[in-house]
Amino acid sequence: MSEATTTDLYEVTMALSYVREGMTAPATFSLFVRDLPPERGFLVAAGLESALDYLTDLRVGPEDAAAFAAALHRPPRDLEPLLGLRFTGSVRAVPEGRVVLAGEPLLEVTAPLPEAQLAETYVLNRLSHQTVIASKAVRCVLAAAGHPVVDFSLRRTHGPGAGFQAARLGAMAGFAGTSNVAAATALDIPAVGTMAHSYVEAFEDEEKAFRAFARTHPGPVTFLVDTYDTEEGVRVAARVLRDLDRGPGSAVRLDSGDLGALA
């Protein structure tokens, strides 16, 4: 079974009807946003590469037709008109990473109607998710006003694939690094990371945790200072950094509380 089956069932029912009715003239499907909130005046186009990969390989084989038939509770012969269907159309799109405004198509697919219909769901999924993430990432970079931003999204994205996408799109938007080791390796971007509260709690006190971490990791280190009491944690971290002569490049990390006021 191929990715041709990664589609909504109604795309299959419509495509089958088009083929049986001889409705195979070219049609154009446009992907765009009608309106944007006033405080979010633009999007950043993303997802084009994976959409093009899908369209290039799209072909309905026997296993795909059988899956469609099973989903529709129909005998396999009823879905035979879709056998061999592949994408033969053309694509016009905004290049990846470009700004897009409301009403402006991110992508347009022109193809014989059954082909364009069957491809709609997958292409929409690829561009919608990645455009959302890229647009959020750019807003983060703009809000940081020149300070480095890194992505730690793998813990909460909707699956490892989405986590990889977030790392790639963050890098495209100007992020300085990612916590995702696989993405950092594959995309040749810096991998970044510090420590968790569970690490600090594994030791008798914060100071022992900070000193142990510094012994394991020479060079600049970042200490998580808000496990128990943030202000005391900062004092302990500063003392350890002075004692070990680790000041230049080292930092403290805040992960809870009123981040603005504490910073």
Side-chain angles (χ1 to χ4, degrees), residues 124-201:
L124 182 63
N125 176 277
R126 283 312 212 182
L127 268 79
S128 293
H129 176 257
Q130 295 185 63
T131 295
V132 166
I133 300 302
S135 303
K136 289 178 179 287
V138 166
R139 288 197 289 272
C140 290
V141 171
L142 292 174
H147 298 285
V149 181
V150 300
D151 117 74
F152 195 47
S153 62
L154 185 59
R155 301 166 70 86
R156 289 186 174 85
T157 46
H158 297 172
F164 187 95
Q165 286 181 4
R168 184 184 76 85
L169 296 166
M172 184 181 76
F175 278 29
T178 178
S179 69
N180 187 333
V181 175
T185 303
L187 301 171
D188 193 25
I189 56 180
V192 295
T194 57
M195 62 177 67
H197 292 109
S198 59
Y199 178 86
V200 177
E201 291 176 308

Side-chain angles (χ1 to χ4, degrees), residues 14-241:
M14 290 186 287
L16 179 61
S17 179
Y18 292 147
V19 171
R20 291 178 66 91
E21 296 296 320
M23 298 171 62
T24 58
T28 298
F29 283 51
S30 297
L31 172 58
F32 62 94
V33 175
R34 291 186 177 88
D35 298 295
L36 289 168
E39 69 278 9
R40 296 184 179 180
F42 68 91
L43 296 172
V44 176
L48 175 60
E49 181 178 341
S50 54
L52 293 178
D53 288 343
Y54 163 79
L55 291 172
T56 299
D57 296 334
L58 177 59
R59 185 181 184 280
V60 177
E63 290 185 353
D64 304 318
F68 294 153
L72 288 168
H73 308 289
R74 303 268 295 275
R77 66 176 178 274
D78 286 2
L79 275 294
E80 286 181 358
L82 292 181
L83 271 175
L85 183 148
R86 61 187 181 87
F87 185 77
T88 62
S90 61
V91 178
R92 297 174 66 243
V94 175
E96 188 116 332
R98 298 286 181 88
V99 168
V100 181
L101 306 178
E104 181 179 10
L106 284 78
L107 174 143
E108 289 186 338
V109 169
T110 300
L113 182 55
E115 300 173 20
Q117 190 71 69
L118 193 63
E120 179 191 33
T121 295
Y122 194 100
V123 171
L124 182 63
N125 176 277
R126 283 312 212 182
L127 268 79
S128 293
H129 176 257
Q130 295 185 63
T131 295
V132 166
I133 300 302
S135 303
K136 289 178 179 287
V138 166
R139 288 197 289 272
C140 290
V141 171
L142 292 174
H147 298 285
V149 181
V150 300
D151 117 74
F152 195 47
S153 62
L154 185 59
R155 301 166 70 86
R156 289 186 174 85
T157 46
H158 297 172
F164 187 95
Q165 286 181 4
R168 184 184 76 85
L169 296 166
M172 184 181 76
F175 278 29
T178 178
S179 69
N180 187 333
V181 175
T185 303
L187 301 171
D188 193 25
I189 56 180
V192 295
T194 57
M195 62 177 67
H197 292 109
S198 59
Y199 178 86
V200 177
E201 291 176 308
F203 291 84
E204 186 178 347
D205 56 49
E206 284 180 310
E207 182 164 349
K208 287 185 172 59
F210 295 162
R211 290 184 181 277
F213 193 81
R215 284 195 297 271
T216 302
H217 301 287
V221 289
T222 298
F223 294 148
L224 183 61
V225 295
D226 60 355
T227 306
Y228 305 109
D229 177 88
T230 304
E231 293 187 15
E232 178 59 22
V234 171
R235 283 190 283 268
V236 173
R239 182 168 66 248
V240 172
L241 291 173

